[in-house]
Every structure is written in structure tokens, then in C-alpha cells.
Amino acid sequence: MDDNSPILSVRNLAVSYKTRKREVDAVRDVSFDVYRGENLGLVGESGCGKSTTAYSIVNFLGRNGRVRSGDILFKGEQIRGRSEADLRKLRGADISMVYQEPMSALNPSMQIQDQLAESLIAHRGFNKANAYAESIEALKKVNMPDPEGVMKRYPHQLSGGQQQRVLIAMAMLNNPSLLIMDEPTTALDVTVEAAVLDLIAELQKKYNTATLYISHNLGVVARVSDKVAVMYAGEIVELATTREIFKNPMHPYTMGLMRCLPDVDAPKGTRVLHPIEGRVPSPANLPQGCIFAPRCEQANQECTAEHPALVEIEPGHQVRCLRRAKDWEEVKRLWATAAEKPIEILQRAAPEEKVLDVNNAKVYYPVPFQTVGGLFGMEKRRYVRASDNVSFTIKRGRTLGIVGESGCGKSTMAKAIVGLEPLYGGKIDFLDVDVSKPLNKRNIESIRDLQMVFQDPNGVLNPSYSVGDQIAFSLRRFGTVPPDQIKAEVERLLRAVKLDESYYNRLPRQLSGGEKQRVGIARAISTNPAMVVCDEPVSALDVSVQAAVLNLLLEIQKTQNTTMILISHDLSSVRFFADDVAVMYLGHIVEIGSCEAIFQKPNHPYTTALLAAVPRADPDAPHSNIRLSGRVPSAVNPPSGCKFNTRCPFKIGEICEQQEPPTRDMGNGHYIVCHLTPEQLA
């Protein structure tokens, strides 16, 4: 094979699925090349055909799916039409895949050593001893701590980041020519994600592997990819180098995706998010003409009549758009002008009024007794210290963002505030009323004034009741309006969250993820609450729907002066929406202050590492080399001294391991918990 030839060449690919009514094309006319040592990013909203395209390469389409037409050439040879036996020889050897959810790809009943060795024995004929040694080396290559110990563990005994590293090690065992990665970092914390992305770049450079990287996170794609293909409704609408896509997007859909992205470096009120109206059409019901025309602000009559071809506008830059010729500069100008208008931030009176005061709150979970002192020793009660001595205050009309890695206590603290978790110690005052009691012991006024928006709307919407009935129940329960006005109030709330009256009688299964989340928000604000706690409200949503939900929450706060808590692992969303930020680690707040203080000049080493790990949607953005090693320690047996000392890149010695760090006042309500002096931190 010629070194200048592509490892993978896809030409005019069409993939269809059999349904009850007819055969439906999920992917149409897709063409791209991936060369040795190159990373092609495949981006787009859910339902655009990204994963279907990837699975068609290795024929993982299921019983009702098939490649209807087109060519899939691997190293110049046709894959399409090969027998299952031939494909099995390719999978895991020359072509490897890393999946989004590692637990679905790892066998829960087998130790890691057996799962890694299986690939080497099957594809390279290794014996068990050689396979074990090679597997150890593979884990070392992916920077796995304690590889010998990991080999003897089962998947459930590993963290999410470790599971993903095992999958990458398994994929790289046979030095594949092509690596397909389907959302490999979506479920990971930002710090683990940064380490995995570093690893992918390192392995790609070292082994010159061709990579097809699928993601809806444009920041991640900007960091790892050389070229980007933007997919919409089963077609590639733009294909170019990463820098061209992010610096000079030409298709209206690509421009729309860029306008949906919050910027971690932009203060609140300086950036507008413009969600793309509507949703990706069903493959069974595609519009006439350009499939993006119903959602395109710049579409004209020609766009609804003629289907555009993918045409090279500039060398290496292909676009599928009819308005690419005479009026293209005008289209770009209109999109750019719409993105420049700053948003109005509401300034209300009485900013000093306290809405929530959390004082030394503790949430502990008991775990089984541990015997101390031999067989007949005493039993010692142990606790998971999910939140430990947490204190903060929120004032009227402001938003506090709570950030940190998984397991740091963010969601636990939120549930304690709304009464879903009992306090082990401490006190919570809401509107000068002690609400430290569980939910079933709080008065009706406190429950009405303190509402919550959950991460997964499917868990809080009853599938058997219509949207309108579920919102109406809340209105009746709290007596928000007279009984004869309930239906009108539900319709008003639906309009407030950008849904029309037709949604009243729809069931949750008839709604998209973003629409379900809007219904959850409508129900939360139906009682006119003084405060709303939002627990990861946009983490599972596409970038466009995420922008719409963030805009909606900001508008609700602006019109009703609602106080909010936003819990998120996405620091860009927190930067866009929050006024103040609390950074949590292992149940403790390690830094708290205004957004400007935290984001512009972070002081605590943990905050610095979190911000350094945020992927930015800019291929020219400099990459920080500050990375956290190791995993978050156990909350049952936390480290002595500073809880962060086992992972801190700036640890100064034994004082960090032996003594609790002091709380330092940095001025203007900015506090950090660290042994380093302000001068050392600066």
C-alpha cells in the first residue's frame, strides 16, 4: 500500500434500517478519507448519523441495518460485502474501536488481565505468559497507575477514567492501523477527559495511527482533530481542516453550532448563545430541498426546492449549501451581526438580602461496621463523608455555581438543601427559616419556595400522564392559582419555556430530551419559587438544546429575580450563567468567590487544574500542562491534612499531609483553603 494513500476511504456511503413501514436511509452520500497519523473529527447533534457511519465500517449495524450503497475501502481493499469471518480478523487487529460507555464494552465477570489477553491470543497467537507481559506494557503506555493491581481487578472496581484507559489499551494492543473512537470522554470528568485526550494525542503521534473521532463536544474536537466533518441528518454538510472549521465556518449549520457554545473565558453577560431552532428531522420524514432549510435563518425559496451537493469552495474546504455563491458574504455578515449583541443583565434592588445560608452542613452515609482489634475486637462505625462542613451564603437574585469532579459532593449538597438527603450535622436557613429537616418534615411554604430541576427529566416525569396534567398537579398542590385558572396558567408556563399549548396533552415519550427538560423547568417555576436548584440541567443535552435551556434559565432569573444554584461539571456553562462559584473537592469547599475572581485568577491548585483541563473550541488556544494524577481518594477514609495533598501538583511538603489548611481571605468575598500563602499562590 502507498504511504500517501488513505488508510480509510469512504465513498458515497448510504446506510439504511428496516422499519415496520419501510426501509429508511439513516446515512446518505457520505464521503471522506482518513490518512495515517491523521485524526478526523465527526461532529453533529444526536441523530445526525455519526455513530451509524462509524459502525458501518465494521458492520455493527444490527440485524435491521445494512450498507445500501457506496464503498468502504480499508488500505485500498473493499470491506463492504466481506464475510463475517474476514471482518472478525480485522476487528481488534487492524481496526479497533473505543466506545462511549466502557462498562458496556468490558465483561463484568472477567478480570482485566483476561480481557486484555483475549485479544492477543485471538489475533496474534500469544500464549498466556506473553499475553500477560504485553498487557502490562499496554497499561503502562496509557499511564495506568498500578498496572499490576489493575490487571487483577474486575471492571466495577475501576473508576470511569481507568475503565476508559483499559479500553484504549485494549484497542492499541495490536497496533491497529485505524482507531475508531465513539464519544470516548463524554461520561468523564473534565480532569480525566484532559488526561485521556493527552493520551490519545500521544499514542497517535507515537504509533502514527489513523483515528476517526466522534463527538458532540466541539472543544474536544478542536483539540484532538486535524480535520473535521460536520454531519446533519445523515449527510456531511461541511468538511475541512480543524482550523478552517472553527475560524472560517461556511455552512449555516456549522455557524449555528459555534453560536451555541458558552466560552469559559467570557464573563457573564458578554456572550450570547443562539440556539438553533427546531430539531434534527427524522430519517423517515426528511424535508424537501436542503434538509437544513427548515432550521436555517438564511434559507430562501431556492433552498426548499433544490437539494445541494457537497462542493469544494476553497482547496480542502467542502460545503453543502446553495447560498455559497453570490450572497455568501452577506449570509456570513448576518450571522456575525446576530452573534455580537450583548445580553442585558438584570440588576435588582436589595442585593444584600440573604436567601440561603448554609452553615457547616454535613451529609454522611453509614457503611458496614469494620471490626477493629482482631477477631473479638470492637466494631467501628464508618461513614461516607459526602459533604463535610460546607458553608456558603446566596443573596437574592444571584446564581451560585458549584463545580468539581464526580464524587466531590455537589449533588449531595443540592439534595440536602431541598430536603432529599438528611443532614448529619450543621444548619441550613432558607428565607430565615430553619430547613435542616428532611422534606417530609418541612412546612408547605418552604417546599413551595424551594424547587429543583434534575439532571435526568425521565426520572421525574411520569410516563403515564400528559405534560399539562403534571404541571397542573403542582399548581393544585400548592394553590398557586384558583382552580378555574389552572389550565390557563399551565399554558402560560409552557409558553414561558418556549413550548406552545399543543404540548399540554402530549406524553413525555413524545418529547425530545430538551423539551422534557423544559417541562421540568416549567414545573419547577410553577410555584413562583424564591430559589431553584439546578443539578446538571444541560449535561445530557446537545449543544443547541443546551444553549436554549441556559438562555431560558437566564431569562427566568431576569424576569422573576429568582435565586439559583447551578451544579455542573461544565465550567463553560457555569461561567456563562453564574455570578459566584464554589469549588468542591472530597466533600469540602476549597475555593469560593465571584466568577471574575475564580475564572480570571484562580488561586487554589485544584481550581487551576480544573480550568486548565477545560477543552476550548479554538484550535489555536494554548494547552496548559497542569494535570492531576491519580483518582479522588475515598470519602470513607480521606487523607489527613489537606484532602487534596495526594494529587496536588504544588504540594510544599509534610505540612500538607499533616495539618488542615487554613481558610485565607483573598478579599471581596473570595476565600481559599490552602497552606500556600497568597504570594506563593500568585
Side-chain angles (χ1 to χ4, degrees):
M1 176 185 170
D2 186 357
D3 286 342
N4 295 322
S5 300
I7 292 291
L8 176 69
S9 182
V10 176
R11 288 289 172 269
N12 308 115
L13 178 69
V15 180
S16 63
Y17 288 94
K18 289 181 181 179
T19 66
R20 291 180 180 179
K21 294 183 178 179
R22 61 186 176 89
E23 194 170 38
V24 174
D25 282 345
V27 169
R28 302 170 309 284
D29 191 27
V30 166
S31 300
F32 58 82
D33 294 322
V34 188
Y35 290 83
R36 189 175 296 280
E38 183 178 67
N39 188 316
L40 173 67
L42 210 55
V43 302
E45 296 170 282
S46 299
C48 281
K50 306 185 299 296
S51 294
T52 297
T53 300
Y55 291 163
S56 68
I57 296 170
V58 288
N59 198 29
F60 279 164
L61 295 173
R63 296 179 64 182
N64 66 326
R66 71 182 182 99
V67 176
R68 186 174 57 78
S69 63
D71 297 312
I72 304 172
L73 303 177
F74 177 68
K75 293 185 176 179
E77 296 183 6
Q78 181 70 261
I79 288 183
R80 186 184 168 208
R82 285 199 189 184
S83 67
E84 188 62 25
D86 285 345
L87 288 173
R88 272 199 298 268
K89 291 178 183 178
L90 282 176
R91 297 175 192 147
D94 257 6
I95 302 175
S96 291
M97 197 156 186
V98 178
Y99 298 88
Q100 175 177 352
E101 178 49 60
M103 280 303 287
S104 66
L106 295 172
N107 190 325
S109 63
M110 291 175 64
Q111 290 181 327
I112 298 302
Q113 59 184 0
D114 297 325
Q115 301 191 51
L116 289 171
E118 188 176 49
S119 176
L120 291 168
I121 294 170
H123 292 289
R124 296 172 66 181
F126 279 38
N127 59 35
K128 285 190 175 182
N130 290 338
Y132 180 87
E134 189 74 12
S135 299
I136 288 284
E137 289 303 311
L139 290 179
K140 289 179 179 178
K141 288 174 184 175
V142 298
N143 303 321
M144 178 72 79
D146 186 22
E148 290 81 5
V150 167
M151 288 280 280
K152 298 176 182 177
R153 294 175 193 160
Y154 290 90
H156 72 274
Q157 296 174 308
L158 305 179
S159 69
Q162 288 176 322
Q163 291 169 6
Q164 200 60 278
R165 285 171 189 249
V166 168
L167 271 191
I168 295 173
M170 191 181 299
M172 299 300 294
L173 267 177
N174 296 305
N175 297 328
S177 300
L178 175 65
L179 181 62
I180 301 173
M181 311 192 85
D182 186 12
E183 301 272 13
T185 62
T186 298
L188 303 181
D189 284 316
V190 65
T191 50
V192 181
E193 177 184 71
V196 170
L197 294 179
D198 288 343
L199 173 63
I200 291 169
E202 179 185 333
L203 293 175
Q204 183 182 348
K205 184 178 179 181
K206 184 175 181 179
Y207 296 103
N208 207 27
T209 307
T211 307
L212 181 63
Y213 193 98
I214 300 167
S215 181
H216 70 271
N217 189 326
L218 294 175
V220 169
V221 171
R223 183 171 162 194
V224 301
S225 298
D226 303 295
K227 292 191 305 188
V228 177
V230 182
M231 288 195 71
Y232 181 76
E235 295 180 344
I236 289 179
V237 296
E238 188 163 5
L239 176 61
T241 64
T242 302
R243 196 174 193 286
E244 275 292 298
I245 289 289
F246 284 90
K247 297 296 185 180
N248 185 33
M250 288 191 173
H251 194 279
Y253 179 59
T254 312
M255 294 178 180
L257 290 177
M258 299 300 175
R259 296 197 309 167
C260 294
L261 298 175
D263 186 353
V264 73
D265 299 314
K268 183 176 181 179
T270 62
R271 182 170 176 81
V272 186
L273 302 185
H274 295 273
I276 305 172
E277 296 297 328
R279 64 167 83 173
V280 179
S282 165
N285 189 26
L286 295 175
Q288 292 287 329
C290 173
I291 52 177
F292 185 61
R295 303 177 70 190
C296 181
E297 297 175 16
Q298 311 303 331
N300 57 22
Q301 190 172 359
E302 180 188 11
C303 297
T304 59
E306 181 183 348
H307 185 74
L310 189 66
V311 178
E312 190 168 65
I313 304 298
E314 297 174 353
H317 198 151
Q318 301 175 32
V319 182
R320 193 186 295 272
C321 182
L322 294 170
R323 298 194 66 180
R324 61 185 179 272
K326 58 181 181 179
D327 54 355
W328 183 250
E329 291 302 323
E330 175 65 11
V331 171
K332 291 174 69 176
R333 187 189 67 78
L334 290 171
W335 283 85
T337 302
E340 289 172 358
K341 184 181 178 183
I343 196 167
E344 178 188 355
I345 298 299
L346 186 70
Q347 297 295 334
R348 291 278 188 175
E352 297 303 315
E353 180 188 357
K354 286 184 182 179
V355 173
L356 186 73
D357 190 9
V358 179
N359 187 20
N360 291 326
K362 299 179 181 179
V363 181
Y364 291 179
Y365 301 112
V367 295
F369 284 97
Q370 180 184 35
T371 302
V372 180
L375 182 63
F376 300 102
M378 298 178 61
E379 290 187 327
K380 178 183 178 183
R381 168 64 77 186
R382 298 184 301 159
Y383 294 92
V384 175
R385 300 169 183 264
S387 294
D388 204 4
N389 289 322
V390 172
S391 299
F392 58 83
T393 298
I394 310 178
K395 297 178 181 177
R396 173 78 66 180
R398 293 183 71 83
T399 298
L400 174 70
I402 303 180
V403 301
E405 296 169 286
S406 299
C408 70
K410 308 186 298 295
S411 295
T412 299
M413 200 63 250
K415 291 174 183 176
I417 290 169
V418 298
L420 297 178
E421 293 288 355
L423 283 184
Y424 182 82
K427 186 181 179 184
I428 300 176
D429 287 329
F430 174 64
L431 295 175
D432 296 325
V433 175
D434 186 355
V435 292
S436 304
K437 308 168 187 175
L439 189 64
N440 59 357
K441 295 182 180 179
R442 294 185 181 183
N443 60 49
I444 193 73
E445 290 80 12
S446 295
I447 297 173
R448 180 194 63 209
D449 286 338
L450 182 55
Q451 293 290 315
M452 187 165 182
V453 177
F454 295 87
Q455 177 176 355
D456 183 10
N458 293 307
V460 293
L461 294 179
N462 191 320
S464 303
Y465 289 87
S466 72
V467 164
D469 287 340
Q470 298 193 55
I471 300 175
F473 176 83
S474 182
L475 295 173
R476 281 193 294 269
R477 175 70 178 84
F478 294 103
T480 309
V481 295
D484 61 334
Q485 298 178 21
I486 286 179
K487 189 173 189 299
E489 179 64 10
V490 171
E491 292 175 346
R492 185 193 71 80
L493 287 165
L494 288 173
R495 289 193 297 271
V497 296
K498 306 296 187 289
L499 300 174
D500 59 49
E501 292 83 350
S502 67
Y503 283 82
Y504 190 103
N505 294 314
R506 295 191 190 182
L507 293 172
R509 62 180 172 80
Q510 297 173 301
L511 275 59
S512 68
E515 288 169 338
K516 290 176 188 175
Q517 195 60 285
R518 293 185 195 198
V519 172
I521 293 171
R523 194 167 67 172
I525 65 173
S526 64
T527 63
N528 298 319
M531 184 171 187
V532 177
V533 179
C534 304
D535 186 11
E536 298 275 13
V538 297
S539 64
L541 305 179
D542 279 320
V543 62
S544 179
V545 183
Q546 172 182 303
V549 172
L550 287 175
N551 281 345
L552 174 62
L553 290 171
L554 199 59
E555 183 177 336
I556 290 168
Q557 184 177 49
K558 175 181 173 182
T559 55
Q560 301 183 13
N561 201 28
T562 309
T563 306
M564 292 190 179
I565 292 178
L566 176 64
I567 294 168
S568 180
H569 68 271
D570 181 359
L571 276 74
S572 299
S573 297
V574 171
R575 177 65 154 154
F576 171 80
F577 188 64
D579 302 291
D580 307 290
V581 179
V583 183
M584 289 192 70
Y585 183 79
L586 205 60
H588 295 260
I589 290 180
V590 297
E591 184 166 9
I592 189 168
S594 67
C595 258
E596 285 66 33
I598 300 293
F599 282 90
Q600 290 183 3
K601 192 178 179 182
N603 282 274
H604 196 279
Y606 181 58
T607 312
T608 304
L610 286 179
L611 288 171
V614 175
R616 288 161 168 79
D618 181 359
D620 296 336
H623 301 312
S624 171
N625 59 359
I626 298 174
R627 293 288 182 265
L628 296 182
S629 60
R631 58 195 298 184
V632 179
S634 168
V636 178
N637 187 26
S640 59
C642 174
K643 302 299 180 285
F644 186 55
N645 82 78
T646 58
R647 302 173 72 203
C648 183
F650 306 112
K651 189 167 83 171
I652 55 177
E654 292 184 357
I655 186 174
C656 296
E657 300 172 357
Q658 298 173 357
Q659 297 182 25
E660 290 279 350
T663 300
R664 299 186 184 275
D665 186 350
M666 311 299 287
N668 299 319
H670 183 191
Y671 297 91
I672 66 163
V673 180
C674 189
H675 284 295
L676 294 168
T677 64
E679 293 75 22
Q680 290 173 314
L681 289 166

